[in-house]
Amino acid sequence: MLYEIILLVLLEWKLGLLRSLLTVVLHTVERYSAPTITVSLPRTKFDVAPATNPLTPRSGPPGTIQCYDKGTNTPIGLVNVTTPDEVRAAVSRARVAQKLWAKTSFSTRRKLLFSLMDYVLQHQSFICETACVECGKTMVDGSLGEMLTTLEKLRWTAAYGEDVLAEEVRDVGLMTFHKRAAVNYVPFGVIGAIVSWNYPFHNIYGPMISALFAGNAFVGKVSEYSSYYAAYYQSIVREGLKNLGQSPDLVTFVTGFAETGETLVSSVDKLTFIGSPAVGKLVMRNASATLTPVVLELGGKDPAVVCDDVDLEQVTPIILRGTYQNCGQNCIGLERVIVQESIHDCLVERLEKAVKTLTQGPASQGLYDMGAMTMGEASLQKIQKLIDDTVAAGATLVCGGKPSNGFFPPTILKNVTPTMPIAREEVFGPVLVVMKFKTDEDAVKMVNACEYGLGSSVFSEDIKRARRIADQLRSGMTNINDFGINYLCQSLPFGGVGASGFDRFAGREGLRGNCVVRASTTDRIPGVKTVIPLILQYPITDVAFTFMESLSQVIYGPMLSSVKAFIKLFSIKPASSKKC
């Protein structure tokens, strides 16, 4: 018997290995047969003098968005605002295109993803340059936040998306033994997205990739702060669709201000919003009028708990990257470093030494460690006030803290307590906040004192200790001895709790979130169909309830009660056909 079991296990393993090998071969063939995308490249270099006054998206004429290089304050062009009527028209065209797209095979959808992947790989430098102009970030920040994340999402979706969206057979009970129960993932129709400016390429492509692979159309609104290259980003995927014989109307990127976004919310079948809690509440309120389901990703105040047994040489660079990546403009940016007292001074000393070596400037003018604040003066003033209020409350400014030439320098604050403003409000800037804790319980309380709950990290050489702390943190994601690495695992869902929003994108949860989850049953035994017992047919008899009561005992009662009820079932006969 044992021999037969071992043989069956080996056979199943070999069949699984064979299926995996065939899948790899199939995907390889699909990738090499995927059409090449070729589109015109817009300018990233502009021979224009910087504006004398700080620009904003509203600096242009009515009905337009003023676009400018965020690192140099150089005007680069105007983009027309998409009107409400144009938004509705785009959604209508997308609905027509989606009817055909929903019928395509997963093989066709994978070919689109492979085409996009190859294009991104071949144009990494150029796409990063567009992000540098739009946001003022550095090329390395662009590569980490725009390229790696998008490429990994494309890879994971192409590799596993079909399995995730395949029909899922579920178990049945005794009452429904003759049925086959299954869950099907059916496209919503038109998926919408309103995304933030901090990663202009990835933020719009992320939800689009999932929406398209699930069989939907996609209409997304980019931020008014990152609108100049939206048409270029759109042209890439539209060319990929045309190469596969599909309508380019399946995807549209719209530009504009609040009115454009409000119209999109009320026009699509489901919406993902990436932005601030204040705007997220408005989106949710507008969505409630049409009962449009929404995914809200509303930023965070991510903590890193650093225990006294860590290797500071390994931890320090992670803290620096987690804090200063993209000049701190990250929803999962590291905003609170909660470090155990005994190593506090040593860690702060290491951080200060490293921060004082960082350089800052526009990517178009040289190699720098950090770039600019995308929202310019508005962000500078907000961050400055937070720092001033926190120092006034008793914190110590270690370095930085004063904007210079439109840039906010990398800053470190220590002696920060949980009640201070900067420990509670999202900074969204290059400010490293250091807080002390004595016991693990203290650290947990400090983390959970904040209303945000997006990501979190715990650093300790004792994995059990780290896990114990992490399990008590109020957050949607956590990393042990790392920061933010979960987003490069696209098999994992992304999202938070509390003021950080709800629902998830990425992972199987995020991909399935682009679908209506439809339950279905069918007959599975030939000749066996559902028959309503005569005693339960209309008109109801006087013993119908007694019959149902006994039937419940048969199915769900303990053994002895079940046997007695089974015998009783055969003795139940209606006295008449009169209704109860």
Side-chain angles (χ1 to χ4, degrees):
M1 183 65 178
L2 180 61
Y3 179 71
E4 284 84 351
I5 292 174
I6 293 173
L7 280 178
L8 285 172
V9 170
L10 286 174
L11 180 61
E12 186 175 346
W13 176 75
K14 286 185 176 180
L15 287 173
L17 191 63
L18 180 60
R19 281 194 296 269
S20 298
L21 182 61
L22 289 174
T23 298
V24 170
V25 171
L26 173 63
H27 290 185
T28 301
V29 171
E30 289 172 344
R31 180 160 191 178
Y32 280 97
S33 63
T36 300
I37 295 173
T38 304
V39 296
S40 299
L41 302 181
R43 290 191 301 164
T44 57
K45 308 296 181 185
F46 302 88
D47 188 19
V48 181
T52 54
N53 295 317
L55 295 171
T56 75
R58 292 189 180 274
S59 296
T64 67
I65 299 171
Q66 176 66 65
C67 301
Y68 54 102
D69 185 324
K70 305 305 187 298
T72 62
N73 197 47
T74 300
I76 60 176
L78 299 173
V79 169
N80 289 329
V81 168
T82 308
T83 67
D85 285 344
E86 289 171 336
V87 172
R88 285 186 282 267
V91 172
S92 295
R93 291 192 299 271
R95 289 197 187 283
V96 174
Q98 190 269 337
K99 300 300 182 186
L100 179 61
W101 179 250
K103 297 176 182 178
T104 58
S105 65
F106 283 116
S107 177
T108 297
R109 299 176 198 176
R110 271 193 298 271
K111 285 182 180 180
L112 175 63
L113 300 197
F114 288 139
S115 292
L116 292 173
M117 186 183 296
D118 289 340
Y119 183 89
V120 172
L121 279 170
Q122 293 163 15
H123 295 82
Q124 289 184 71
S125 178
F126 183 80
I127 296 173
C128 284
E129 284 179 23
T130 67
C132 290
V133 173
E134 289 277 39
C135 295
K137 66 180 65 183
T138 68
M139 290 290 285
V140 173
D141 286 343
S143 183
L144 285 168
E146 308 278 9
M147 298 296 94
L148 283 184
T149 50
T150 304
L151 288 167
E152 178 58 20
K153 190 172 191 74
L154 287 164
R155 183 206 67 81
W156 182 85
T157 307
Y160 301 104
E162 182 174 0
D163 289 341
V164 170
L165 297 177
E167 182 181 66
E168 187 178 340
V169 178
R170 299 288 178 90
D171 60 291
V172 295
L174 187 59
M175 281 286 291
T176 53
F177 75 95
H178 60 301
K179 293 291 182 179
R180 178 182 184 274
V183 172
N184 299 100
Y185 298 97
V186 183
F188 261 106
V190 180
I191 298 292
I194 299 175
V195 300
S196 57
W197 42 260
N198 53 335
Y199 291 99
F201 181 76
H202 176 72
N203 282 356
I204 197 68
Y205 261 59
M208 180 200 74
I209 290 166
S210 297
L212 292 180
F213 196 82
N216 298 285
F218 180 81
V219 180
K221 178 190 174 298
V222 299
S223 169
E224 60 269 30
Y225 282 90
S226 55
S227 296
Y228 190 74
Y229 293 104
Y232 164 59
Y233 299 158
Q234 174 185 271
S235 71
I236 299 169
V237 64
R238 282 190 162 188
E239 183 66 18
L241 288 167
K242 286 192 287 186
N243 288 344
L244 294 170
Q246 297 295 314
S247 170
D249 290 336
L250 193 69
V251 174
T252 300
F253 297 161
V254 299
T255 54
F257 299 99
E259 190 178 27
T260 303
E262 289 168 1
T263 306
L264 184 62
V265 172
S266 62
S267 302
V268 296
D269 299 307
K270 186 172 183 179
L271 183 102
T272 293
F273 173 77
I274 303 174
S276 69
V279 179
K281 291 175 182 178
L282 294 175
V283 168
M284 193 173 175
R285 186 182 305 160
N286 291 336
S288 68
T290 51
L291 295 180
T292 302
V294 294
V295 179
L296 297 181
E297 197 280 278
L298 306 179
K301 189 76 182 168
D302 287 10
V305 176
V306 184
C307 299
D308 56 5
D309 59 351
V310 299
D311 177 359
L312 289 179
E313 189 171 344
Q314 183 257 338
V315 170
T316 301
I318 295 177
I319 292 175
L320 291 168
R321 174 55 66 179
T323 304
Y324 300 120
Q325 159 73 18
N326 202 31
C327 209
Q329 299 167 113
N330 309 285
C331 55
I332 53 169
L334 182 51
E335 296 220 357
R336 293 177 291 164
V337 178
I338 301 172
V339 57
Q340 202 148 19
E341 283 184 336
S342 60
I343 61 169
H344 172 274
D345 292 348
C346 186
L347 177 59
V348 171
E349 183 180 338
R350 283 172 173 265
L351 293 169
E352 180 183 7
K353 182 179 179 181
V355 165
K356 286 183 175 179
T357 67
L358 300 183
T359 58
Q360 191 171 25
S364 60
Q365 296 181 5
L367 180 64
Y368 296 100
D369 296 304
M370 290 174 53
M373 299 300 295
T374 304
M375 294 182 71
E377 198 62 32
S379 291
L380 298 178
Q381 292 178 10
K382 172 198 166 188
I383 296 172
Q384 184 66 67
K385 185 177 187 308
L386 270 175
I387 291 173
D388 291 345
D389 290 348
T390 302
V391 171
T396 303
L397 180 64
V398 177
C399 60
K402 294 289 182 183
S404 174
N405 298 321
F407 290 83
F408 207 99
T411 298
I412 299 177
L413 286 166
K414 67 178 182 179
N415 298 325
V416 177
T417 64
T419 59
M420 292 180 181
I422 210 161
R424 294 178 174 274
E425 297 181 36
E426 185 177 28
V427 178
F428 220 66
V431 182
L432 200 163
V433 173
V434 185
M435 306 164 72
K436 293 181 186 178
F437 76 90
K438 290 184 179 180
T439 67
D440 293 356
E441 290 73 21
D442 292 335
V444 171
K445 288 179 181 177
M446 292 170 76
V447 169
N448 293 340
C450 179
E451 64 176 349
Y452 289 99
L454 191 57
S456 61
S457 298
V458 180
F459 292 88
S460 173
E461 292 297 305
D462 184 343
I463 299 300
K464 288 184 178 179
R465 178 190 183 189
R467 186 77 259 175
R468 188 167 56 248
I469 294 172
D471 287 345
Q472 300 176 70
L473 303 184
R474 182 173 168 270
S475 67
M477 303 169 287
T478 193
N479 297 283
I480 303 298
N481 291 327
D482 215 323
F483 177 80
I485 195 71
N486 57 283
Y487 197 54
L488 285 178
C489 300
Q490 278 291 312
S491 60
L492 294 175
F494 186 97
V497 297
S500 292
F502 52 77
D503 212 337
R504 299 293 183 266
F505 57 81
R508 63 177 58 238
E509 295 82 0
L511 185 55
R512 288 175 174 174
N514 289 274
C515 300
V516 175
V517 182
R518 180 179 293 168
S520 66
T521 63
T522 54
D523 295 326
R524 70 183 180 95
I525 303 174
V528 178
K529 298 182 180 297
T530 297
V531 176
I532 303 296
L534 187 62
I535 205 168
L536 295 179
Q537 293 181 16
Y538 291 112
I540 298 298
T541 65
D542 54 354
V543 291
F545 178 76
T546 303
F547 177 86
M548 288 304 302
E549 189 176 34
S550 298
L551 183 62
S552 296
Q553 280 288 350
V554 170
I555 298 172
Y556 304 110
M559 180 62 73
L560 185 58
S561 298
S562 181
V563 171
K564 289 180 179 179
F566 183 75
I567 296 171
K568 184 179 179 180
L569 275 179
F570 290 95
S571 66
I572 298 174
K573 291 183 173 52
S576 69
S577 61
K578 186 178 179 181
K579 289 187 178 182
C580 297

